[in-house]
Amino acid sequence: MPVWDDLVGQDRVQEQLRAAARDADALVTADAGGTAQPEASKMTHAWLFTGPPGAGRTTAARAFAAALQCVSPDRALGGEPGCGFCDGCHTALVGTHADVSTVAAVGTQILVDDMRDTVRKSFTSPANGRWQVILVEDAERLNEKSANAVLKAVEEPAPRTVWLLCAPSIEDVLPTIRSRCRHLTLRTPPVEAVADVLIRRDGVEPDAAYAAARATQGHIDHARRLATDERARARRATVLKLPLRVEDVGGCLKAAQELIDAASEDAKEVAEGTDTKETEELKAALGGTPGGRMPRGTAGAMKELEDKQKRRRTRTQRDSLDLALGELTSFYRDVLALQLGSATALANEDVRDALDRVARASTPEGTLRRIEAVLACREAMDRNVAPLLAVEAMTMALRAG
């Protein structure tokens, strides 16, 4: 299966990346043979992938990285890079390729310490003679120092280094960085395309696949989790009951606490396995023994790992809360559609009774104010307001309408 098959509903972007991968292959061949490189090339040293959540920004970037590392013998017979089967494609896709480095935010920001080794590596030659690929999954989370480190590397890259930056929008990246990148915009995949992927690749029943695709409004990863994970469905059901539980102050405060508790539980589930594995691996690397004391001088390294894990749990909790707020926004969008008599398909048809009840009990103006309250909660958390305070303020605003 070619690497491009993972891009859902992104035909235009896929064709641009195919063309760039072909030209990149030609550049490598020209270098190896000592021949002149083609003058007009669709390949460049830095790319910026933007698009709404769920559009597949990182998927597109990783597919491109795999195509750049493709070593399929079919290429010599006219085949295109990105076969999906060779060692280069496979290791790039699963994240084990020696020449594909991935940087993702551990906490709410990508710190300069997280980027230092990667930037240093970007100036080295690729180990297998093709491309050195640096994939930054959360470019919008670069802070000032880490962004400046990336800028210096993008300004004067090594001849065979490619930077792939992913961010929600072009405005989320420093102008000095984005001006040096080729920009690709991904769109929200159609519900039908997402459902088709769930049916073909994940074996989900058609009705469940379409329901998950509608409920997540085309977000591929969330749709897959909703369709295959019972806990995700239970959490969503809890969130969608919240609009019916804010009739008094006590209900508002209780609903806010339950939302925070659910996000904390999500973060705990994600962290448990990863944190334990990381801790044991570091102990072994530092010469420790299972259940025994650590050698002298290793306390600093262990503390650094604990801080990293704490930042990651904080980010996971914030991401879980953000997902819940997105589901609330979707609920009130459906309420507004019913109040205005719109023919727009409802994302939350499975809770139609609750939608009807809220729509009858309020006005379109009140629904808009509630949507604004949810958005204000998101903005407050972006400003590092304590999550519980931000959610309590939101639930009280939802009650006021």
Side-chain angles (χ1 to χ4, degrees), residues 70-236:
C70 182
V71 293
S72 169
D74 290 344
R75 290 178 12 260
L77 303 175
E80 292 194 352
C83 67
F85 295 103
C86 70
D87 185 65
C89 286
H90 175 71
T91 54
L93 290 174
V94 299
T96 58
H97 197 290
D99 293 326
V100 179
S101 302
T102 302
V103 179
V106 175
T108 56
Q109 294 183 333
I110 298 178
L111 306 178
V112 68
D113 289 342
D114 300 328
M115 289 299 307
R116 189 169 287 120
D117 290 340
T118 304
V119 169
R120 188 180 299 115
K121 185 178 180 181
S122 74
F123 291 106
T124 64
S125 299
N128 65 358
R130 295 192 65 78
W131 297 93
Q132 187 76 260
V133 181
I134 311 297
L135 170 57
V136 182
E137 293 187 357
D138 311 289
E140 76 279 8
R141 295 180 188 263
L142 291 165
N143 64 18
E144 183 179 356
K145 291 183 179 180
S146 57
N148 286 333
V150 171
L151 174 60
K152 292 178 181 178
V154 172
E155 280 181 326
E156 300 177 0
R160 202 67 68 75
T161 294
V162 183
W163 283 83
L164 309 178
L165 310 180
C166 303
S169 72
I170 194 169
E171 288 78 16
D172 291 318
V173 181
L174 282 179
T176 47
I177 292 179
R178 69 191 190 220
S179 65
R180 291 165 172 80
C181 299
R182 185 164 298 168
H183 182 209
L184 293 178
T185 303
L186 285 76
R187 66 190 184 104
T188 300
V191 168
E192 293 75 13
V194 175
D196 181 63
V197 169
L198 296 179
I199 294 168
R200 287 188 297 105
R201 300 186 193 174
D202 299 286
V204 178
E205 291 295 324
D207 289 346
Y210 277 99
R214 280 195 305 271
T216 56
Q217 300 178 69
H219 194 302
I220 302 170
D221 293 337
H222 291 170
R224 181 177 287 113
R225 185 180 178 193
L226 191 62
T228 58
D229 188 344
E230 181 61 38
R231 288 175 300 182
R233 292 193 288 272
R235 182 197 51 74
R236 174 175 174 268

Side-chain angles (χ1 to χ4, degrees), residues 7 9 36 39 53 67 69 97 115 128 158 161 168 187 202 224 252 258 278 314 319 322 324-325 345-346 394:
L7 301 186
E39 293 183 5
Q69 306 293 8
H97 197 290
M115 289 299 307
N128 65 358
T161 294
R187 66 190 184 104
D202 299 286
R224 181 177 287 113
C252 291
E258 289 179 359
E278 285 180 344
T314 299
D319 287 348
D322 191 64
L325 296 178
L346 301 181
M394 178 195 71

Side-chain angles (χ1 to χ4, degrees), residues 106-107 263-264 266-268 270-272 275 305-319:
V106 175
S264 299
D266 255 5
K268 182 180 178 181
V270 172
E272 278 180 348
D275 288 0
L305 178 61
E306 290 172 4
D307 290 343
K308 174 183 175 182
Q309 292 172 343
K310 183 178 179 180
R311 295 200 310 270
R312 184 168 57 209
R313 284 194 293 271
T314 299
R315 182 198 168 180
T316 304
Q317 182 184 18
R318 295 290 178 92
D319 287 348

